[in-house]
Amino acid sequence: MEIDVIKKLVKASRKRHAEMVREATVAERYYRKKNDILQKGARAQASDGNPMRSADNRIPANFYNILVNQKAAYLFTDPPVFDTRNEAANKTVRSVLGDGFAKVCKDLCINASNCTIAWLHYWKNSDGAFRFAVISPKQIIPVWTDDLEKELSGLLRVYDQLDEEGKKWNIYEYWDKERCSTFRKESRAIMDAIKPYDLYGEAGEQPEGDPGSWQHGFGEVPFIPFPNNAEGSNDLNDVKELIDAYDKVYSGFLNDLEDIQEVIFILAGYEGENLGEFLKKLKKYKTIKVDSDEEGKGGLSTLTIDIPVEAREKMLAMTRKSIFEQGMGIDPDPQNFGNSSGVALSYLYSLLELKAGLMETEFRQGFGRLVRAICRHEGICAVDVAQTWTRTSVHNEAELSSIAQQSTGVISRKTILLNHPWVTDAEKELAQIREEEQEETEKLKQQEYNPFAKQEGKGQQTGGVPLEKESVSDGKAD
């Protein structure tokens, strides 16, 4: 690929990409509990220098972290299960996905929630094995087609790299359906200083006359998008102002508690000049002496200031409720659960289920592409890929087990096992059932060869008498 094309692509997408990076950085900061309150504080600017307003507590709330982790745990504690209608193919797909697939799903969910979209990159290692990993969305500049299908026609990945001498380089990778072209420049150099760079060496077949390029052989751009939702927004947009308001009220309340004393002494005609002496005598003698002024007035009085606690508590409660409503999550406050069970518990998950369902709709396409890419690499023909998603929540297992039992004979055994609350792997459970049925069949065969074995055993266990032999009558009367 020509350098001029890369330069034009970077310049054309610089503004839009910078805006995405800025919003993603803010969301990731809130996810790490680094809210704006830590930078701005709760005090008004007009109070600076006021000796009565010296406290500056900055307490961030981690509501956003809770909302994102709730969705990730709800969707991907048990990762999706894929079925290609071929047991051998299913076994191969599970082997390639590996034990770390659950973590990959969780990382994709968090990246999409913070950055509006997550990206998964797959490639072949030096041994030709299929590999995949999650890539930071802040490194990705996608190029979409202009038609209604809006397919991924190309992708530019930009990141930094340190060489052996400690010099920092900006690396540019452009991927299309056939090849990858790599370039680099020093981090402080201008864009015109970019040059081709042989980053992957012998990773693939290199076309003649195109240095720094190689053919990856996948037939499509080996990056899979996982959008957060159809609107292209992150999860922070719905709750940021509410979280900032909660932080400000909470931190401001703590500032008031520190700044305003419960009792303020008002002195009139005090004979001493040192207030420290006044406090010392008050503590020691429990009394003080004051002089009368010209008008004959003098004395000591107190002033108490009441902080509007009730109003602030109500404000915090209202804001907290709005955060979980607007963020479509579940408030973990135990008062919201009580003795709820069954349908009541399901109702608590209604908003979270709506948000998770929207993400599942977007993620299903990405996971389908991943499974088909694995099958193509392994030489497996997979057209139909069924996906089974499991929600992790508090539920009534007895009710689900009863539904599964009542469904026996109506739907297939595999479908029942896929939705049974105690089954995590339907294929293993089916194999175990077949093994137990085989053992039962062997026992029945043994009983056919020895029809009295079960009866004799039963007689010995229960203490019964053995069967009497048939007696032959001699014809004589008793």
Side-chain angles (χ1 to χ4, degrees), residues 287-346:
T287 183
I288 60 171
K289 183 180 179 181
V290 297
D291 294 333
S292 299
D293 55 12
E294 297 178 354
E295 299 179 357
K297 296 181 180 180
L300 170 66
S301 60
T302 61
L303 174 64
T304 59
I305 300 178
D306 295 329
I307 301 176
V309 176
E310 183 178 354
R312 300 201 182 202
E313 286 182 347
K314 187 174 182 179
M315 182 63 186
L316 290 175
M318 292 171 55
T319 307
R320 180 188 179 103
K321 184 174 182 293
S322 297
I323 288 174
F324 285 100
E325 286 182 352
Q326 300 297 324
M328 303 180 71
I330 301 173
D331 190 348
D333 189 348
Q335 297 180 3
N336 297 330
F337 291 88
N339 296 323
S340 302
S341 61
V343 178
L345 281 175
S346 300

Side-chain angles (χ1 to χ4, degrees), residues 45-163:
Q45 296 296 326
S47 66
D48 291 347
N50 187 346
M52 294 296 294
R53 294 291 185 180
S54 59
D56 187 18
N57 294 283
R58 305 182 179 190
I59 313 298
N62 67 333
F63 291 123
Y64 182 66
N65 179 279
I66 293 175
L67 290 171
V68 173
N69 287 342
Q70 274 184 355
K71 183 170 68 171
Y74 186 62
L75 278 171
F76 297 117
T77 296
D78 292 324
V81 178
F82 308 110
D83 184 11
T84 61
R85 314 301 183 187
N86 185 311
E87 180 56 32
N90 292 343
K91 185 176 180 181
T92 300
V93 170
R94 288 196 299 268
S95 176
V96 174
L97 292 177
D99 297 333
F101 181 60
K103 183 180 184 306
V104 170
C105 294
K106 182 263 297 180
D107 292 341
L108 288 172
C109 179
I110 294 176
N111 282 352
S113 300
N114 292 333
C115 307
T116 71
I117 189 171
W119 290 93
L120 186 73
H121 174 42
Y122 59 90
W123 70 95
K124 303 175 189 175
N125 64 4
S126 57
D127 298 332
F130 189 94
R131 293 290 181 266
F132 59 93
V134 178
I135 302 295
S136 172
K138 293 187 288 187
Q139 300 179 0
I140 303 300
I141 301 176
V143 179
W144 306 97
T145 60
D146 295 331
D147 54 15
L148 295 178
E149 295 182 357
K150 196 179 179 181
E151 296 181 350
L152 186 66
S153 62
L155 182 142
L156 179 64
R157 181 187 175 197
V158 184
Y159 59 96
D160 297 332
Q161 186 182 70
L162 292 176
D163 60 13

Side-chain angles (χ1 to χ4, degrees), residues 1-11 156 174:
M1 186 175 188
E2 297 182 359
I3 297 180
D4 293 339
V5 178
I6 293 294
K7 293 179 181 179
K8 292 180 180 180
L9 179 59
V10 172
K11 292 179 180 179
L156 179 64
Y174 184 80

